[in-house]
Amino acid sequence: MSRRTEQDALSRTALGVFRLNGQFLSVAEKLAEPAGLTAAWWQVLGAVLPEPLPVAGIARVMGITRQSVQRIADLLVRDGLAAYAPNPAHRRAKLLAPTDAGRAAIARIDPGHAELAARLTAALGGPAAFEETVRVLDRLSAALEEVEAGTEREG
């Protein structure tokens, strides 16, 4: 593959991912609205459903800035959808955890989320095709992290 071809592939990939991001954000806003959430609030709450996390940990998982997560976390706490808890591993970095109200809000999203997942699975050609899509996106993300890490070490 020539350098020009590699550059074109990178450009097409980036544009596709940017478009996909916009599509996912649009769909997420529609799904979250009946629960009284925004897509961003849903993302942050969803990140702490399995276990409480510090804001920096949520930011790493989501690939966004700590400040953005902090702002959303504070709003979720203000509205009673999440709460801060002591972090045994770090005195100052409190853990964010969903409250019962936060879990209930996420549960209200579940029927629409399940319907979209079923429709998307069918549109992609079935569960195996959907799983392959996930694997390819995971590979792309891991490769980009590897390249970025190499660039940081070189700089």
Side-chain angles (χ1 to χ4, degrees), residues 4-120:
R4 179 81 257 156
T5 304
E6 290 172 347
Q7 284 181 268
D8 290 345
L10 175 58
S11 294
R12 288 192 324 270
T13 300
L15 290 172
V17 169
F18 294 153
R19 180 172 182 225
L20 189 59
N21 181 59
Q23 290 171 307
F24 269 116
L25 288 174
S26 176
V27 168
E29 288 294 344
K30 290 175 190 161
L31 288 173
E33 186 181 17
L37 301 176
T38 66
W41 287 29
W42 179 19
Q43 270 186 299
V44 171
L45 270 177
V48 297
L49 284 178
E51 65 177 337
L53 292 170
V55 167
I58 299 166
R60 268 191 304 279
V61 168
M62 293 174 56
I64 60 175
T65 67
R66 189 196 62 74
Q67 292 83 356
S68 296
V69 175
Q70 185 68 63
R71 189 176 64 252
I72 294 166
D74 289 344
L75 293 170
L76 290 169
V77 169
R78 180 200 70 193
D79 288 1
L81 299 168
Y84 289 116
N87 182 349
H90 193 286
R91 198 167 36 117
R92 288 185 32 207
K94 297 203 179 310
L95 300 173
L96 185 70
T99 61
D100 289 342
R103 288 185 185 281
I106 295 294
R108 286 192 295 277
I109 296 170
D110 199 49
H113 188 254
E115 180 190 343
L116 176 62
R119 290 174 54 208
L120 195 51

